[in-house]
Amino acid sequence: MRFSYKKLFKLLIDKGIKKKELCEMAGISATSIAKLGHGGNINTEVLLKICNALNCDVSDIMEFIKNEAAGSTTLQEDTDAADLQMNFQNRISGKDL
């Protein structure tokens, strides 16, 4: 399983926002944007800043993609993905884990 941030870049195009502008709006580095562009690992704090800047939810900027070669994910991968999403939702709502 991997993360895809194609939804983020589509949203930026739809809103007419350049990557550099997003960096300034969200207070994140160009390196973070580059990692997103390559599907790299990114801190949930960066995702939170992006969502706050764009006034959107994490599901508006990313999605989970199953490994096509494997055909399906393992239970652990599904659990990890669900935990990540719940953690992010709790951070947005201000709840501590």
Side-chain angles (χ1 to χ4, degrees), residues 1-7 44 47 57-68 73 77-89:
M1 178 174 267
R2 64 182 177 85
F3 298 106
S4 171
Y5 300 99
K6 289 180 182 179
K7 292 173 105 179
T44 55
L47 297 175
D57 187 72
V58 67
S59 63
D60 296 325
I61 65 168
M62 67 180 285
E63 62 186 335
F64 304 110
I65 306 292
K66 292 183 178 182
N67 291 339
E68 294 169 9
T73 61
E77 288 173 328
D78 290 340
T79 302
D80 290 347
D83 287 347
L84 176 63
Q85 189 166 18
M86 186 176 10
N87 181 359
F88 187 82
Q89 292 297 334

Side-chain angles (χ1 to χ4, degrees), residues 12-13 15-25:
L12 292 178
I13 291 168
K15 291 187 175 215
I17 299 172
K18 296 181 181 190
K19 294 175 191 176
K20 184 176 181 178
E21 291 173 311
L22 177 61
C23 289
E24 294 167 1
M25 290 169 56

Side-chain angles (χ1 to χ4, degrees), residues 26-82:
I28 60 174
S29 69
T31 303
S32 293
I33 295 293
K35 285 181 182 180
L36 292 168
H38 294 106
N41 292 329
I42 198 82
N43 189 312
T44 55
E45 186 70 26
V46 171
L47 297 175
L48 180 63
K49 288 179 178 183
I50 291 171
C51 288
N52 283 332
L54 297 176
N55 193 28
C56 68
D57 187 72
V58 67
S59 63
D60 296 325
I61 65 168
M62 67 180 285
E63 62 186 335
F64 304 110
I65 306 292
K66 292 183 178 182
N67 291 339
E68 294 169 9
S72 65
T73 61
T74 66
L75 178 58
Q76 184 61 47
E77 288 173 328
D78 290 340
T79 302
D80 290 347

